[in-house]
Amino acid sequence: MDKGRLLRTTGTVIAAAGLLLSGCTSGGPAPHASASSGGAATGSGTGAGTAAAQPAPAPAALRRYYEQKLKWRDCGVPGFQCATMKAPLDYANPGSGQEVELAVARKKATGPGKRLGSLVVNPGGPGGSGIGYLQAYAGIGYPAPVRARYDMVSVDPRGVARSSPIECLTGPRMDAYTQVDQTPDDAAEQARLVEAFKEFAKGCEERSRRVLPHVSTVEAARDLDVLRAVLGDEKLTYVGASYGTLLGATYADLFPGRAGRLVLDGAMDPSRTAIELNRDQTAGFETAFRSFARDCAKQPDCPLGRGTPEQVAQRLKDFFRKLDAQPVPTGEAARPLGEALATTGVIAALYDETAWPQLREAITQAMDGDGAGLLALADSYYEREPDGKYANLMYANAAVNCLDQPPAFAGPEAVAAAVPSFEKASPVFGAGFAWASLNCTYWPAKATGTARRLEAKGAAPIVVVGTVRDPATPYRWAESLAGQLDSGVLLTYDGDGHTAYGRGSDCIDSAINRYLLEGTPPADGKKC
């Protein structure tokens, strides 16, 4: 469920660490913080070679957080250290005494070469574990010259994983939630879907009442500035993927004078409203599916046959309809493969073109009456463990998205009216994405943000990376964000999959590595 509110990130999709969801989600942050309320920098100046705004000192009410000392300890993972950082629960009232504890991890620079400070990485989501991403991918898989010069650092954002995590449903209730029909055919099915969203929201409120109103992107960005300070860095050096681009752009907009070398890979567009983001992402998955369909039709094992992408898509849609009427066994009696889980499984594999062979095999098996393969793909998307426990990814994802922007729709009638426009964007996935966009309608915490442009006036050059056939963050979002940012530089990857850095393009990797190591951004508009 919630497919229209997730944006996955980099890494391997099904097998290992990465592919963290990051939804078609949240829009822009709340209005700028002033130096008195949040420590935002002031001043002007743009582009390379221009003096950036000078950071203002931390406000007195926040000084205890900015001046805290991290106590590093062994993580239990060789080469990594962990610590706990404190931040105010509510930045508007930092003297209340209420705090959140944020989990931080690092892997120190390996050398040789002069240490350049800390490189903070974020895998997206919202809801992706930064520490999990660091330990399983970035801290060991980023280019060696980058790891040699930087301490590799990440934090689980507030509400995520080890950092005051949002909790909503038990494992069995989440199992039931993921199976609810997201393409309702009548009023009764609509009512069941609405009830599922209400139950999800109620569970979050009951289990996470204290932190639920305080997990917005703006608050997470302010946490990043506290992290920058306690790490001892004058400016933030940062690589954010997918939703992590919104977090990084928000940081730069709040603290332009403290923004150092920022890479925003798989960019979101903060100026788009929730309904626009969801519809854009629907079209993005259609683009990715067509790319898969063209490739599938050339393969001898394609279960969807030969023909045009439209013909392949129609066969998949017909198969989904069959599953809607009659789910197939998966080996788990309580979790047969119906339309909802099958759709999620397909979507999971579209994030990374290396998963296409696995997707062909899983669809073939499902058409032969064995849904285990597509169920496994769906479980990877939801971060469900074999023991039936779920990571809190989906819970944090909804919580952040529903704070960052008002709901896409006021109710089921509005969704029904919008379904045709979503189906135009994607005949296969459109209806499901439209109905998934209803999830914030019943959210217990009122939205604190809204869609708006982020300009980050006075920041140093910010590299925005867009992949032409990215399913989760359509390429035009990267074009838009690079144009909004006062010092934005657009770097384009003409390829498939979600995000570009570290995914096999020497051209992309060389351009980003040079920027991180030497401070020289690629030429604006460079294509790889």
Side-chain angles (χ1 to χ4, degrees):
M1 193 135 343
D2 297 347
K3 286 184 284 292
R5 303 291 290 173
L6 289 169
L7 309 155
R8 282 223 178 223
T9 67
T10 173
T12 56
V13 49
I14 308 308
L19 199 84
L20 299 165
L21 306 189
S22 125
C24 156
T25 78
S26 54
H32 286 66
S34 66
S36 60
S37 64
T42 59
S44 60
T46 63
T50 302
Q54 293 302 307
L62 296 176
R63 199 161 295 153
R64 61 186 295 255
Y65 298 106
Y66 275 80
E67 295 177 354
Q68 66 186 295
K69 303 297 183 183
L70 295 184
K71 297 180 180 179
W72 294 101
R73 60 187 184 276
D74 182 73
C75 283
V77 179
F80 292 88
Q81 297 175 306
C82 289
T84 300
M85 186 184 86
K86 292 184 177 181
L89 176 68
D90 183 358
Y91 276 93
N93 187 19
S96 69
Q98 295 194 70
E99 297 177 331
V100 290
E101 292 189 340
L102 306 178
V104 182
R106 75 177 179 186
K107 185 177 184 185
K108 299 195 76 172
T110 57
K114 181 181 178 182
R115 181 181 173 278
L116 295 175
S118 304
L119 173 57
V120 178
V121 297
N122 179 277
S129 169
I131 291 178
Y133 175 72
L134 179 74
Q135 293 177 344
Y137 176 64
I140 57 177
Y142 263 39
V146 173
R147 290 184 286 114
R149 306 283 298 281
Y150 283 101
D151 288 350
M152 299 294 295
V153 178
S154 196
V155 58
D156 283 348
R158 54 174 60 208
V160 174
R162 304 162 182 82
S163 296
S164 304
I166 300 290
E167 299 294 345
C168 299
L169 300 178
T170 64
R173 291 310 306 158
M174 188 64 180
D175 281 347
Y177 178 77
T178 62
Q179 295 178 63
V180 175
D181 187 354
Q182 284 196 99
T183 56
D185 299 315
D186 54 37
E189 290 187 353
Q190 283 187 26
R192 283 195 290 272
L193 181 58
V194 167
E195 185 57 34
F197 283 134
K198 288 181 177 178
E199 180 187 356
F200 186 96
K202 181 180 179 182
C204 298
E205 183 178 27
E206 290 176 347
R207 292 167 173 248
S208 306
R209 190 184 310 272
R210 186 182 82 97
V211 72
L212 204 62
H214 298 291
V215 293
S216 70
T217 297
V218 164
E219 289 161 307
R222 291 179 176 174
D223 293 340
L224 280 183
D225 197 53
V226 175
L227 177 63
R228 172 203 58 77
V230 301
L231 291 172
D233 292 323
E234 180 181 348
K235 295 189 177 185
L236 178 71
T237 303
Y238 174 87
V239 176
S242 199
Y243 161 80
T245 66
L246 177 63
L247 180 59
T250 300
Y251 178 90
D253 200 55
L254 288 170
F255 307 103
R258 298 173 189 166
R261 300 169 189 177
L262 270 56
V263 177
L264 310 181
D265 184 14
M268 289 187 65
D269 182 353
S271 71
R272 303 289 281 174
T273 64
I275 186 173
E276 290 171 335
L277 287 169
N278 289 348
R279 195 157 41 209
D280 289 350
Q281 193 180 42
T282 303
F285 275 97
E286 178 67 16
T287 298
F289 177 76
R290 284 173 173 265
S291 190
F292 163 76
R294 282 189 290 269
D295 179 77
C296 187
K298 300 174 185 177
Q299 306 300 327
D301 64 341
C302 180
L304 299 172
R306 302 288 185 266
T308 65
E310 291 79 9
Q311 291 170 322
V312 173
Q314 185 59 51
R315 293 182 193 118
L316 181 62
K317 189 172 182 179
D318 291 343
F319 178 57
F320 285 160
R321 285 176 180 156
K322 289 181 181 179
L323 292 175
D324 190 30
Q326 186 61 55
V328 299
T330 62
E332 296 188 41
R335 298 203 304 148
L337 184 76
E339 181 184 14
L341 285 172
T343 304
T344 302
V346 172
I347 284 171
L350 292 180
Y351 280 94
D352 189 336
E353 68 275 19
T354 63
W356 289 355
Q358 184 178 355
L359 178 57
R360 293 197 304 271
E361 181 179 3
I363 295 174
T364 299
Q365 292 172 346
M367 287 181 164
D368 289 339
D370 178 5
L374 280 176
L375 180 64
L377 287 168
D379 284 351
S380 75
Y381 183 90
Y382 288 123
E383 292 198 352
R384 183 188 189 273
E385 298 298 329
D387 63 2
K389 294 180 180 179
Y390 286 80
N392 93 312
L393 170 66
M394 299 298 298
Y395 311 140
N397 183 274
V400 175
N401 289 328
C402 296
L403 280 185
D404 275 359
Q405 280 215 27
F409 295 109
E413 297 80 7
V415 179
V419 164
S421 68
F422 276 73
E423 289 185 321
K424 182 178 180 181
S426 176
V428 178
F429 305 114
F433 271 81
W435 285 103
S437 305
L438 193 62
N439 67 331
C440 288
T441 303
Y442 310 102
W443 202 248
K446 185 178 180 180
T448 55
T450 188
R452 70 178 187 87
R453 292 171 57 87
L454 295 179
E455 298 179 355
K457 292 184 177 179
I462 298 172
V463 176
V464 179
V465 188
T467 297
V468 171
R469 291 177 295 281
D470 190 316
T473 50
Y475 176 67
R476 66 175 180 169
W477 288 359
E479 292 179 304
S480 179
L481 180 60
Q484 291 171 44
L485 293 168
D486 198 46
S487 57
V489 173
L490 179 63
L491 175 61
T492 297
Y493 174 49
D494 186 0
D496 296 289
H498 185 35
T499 72
Y501 186 44
R503 287 175 47 85
S505 169
D506 290 339
C507 174
I508 290 289
D509 291 355
S510 295
I512 293 175
N513 291 346
R514 184 183 182 201
Y515 173 60
L516 291 175
L517 295 172
E518 301 175 15
T520 304
D524 186 23
K526 178 179 175 63
K527 292 181 171 62
C528 293

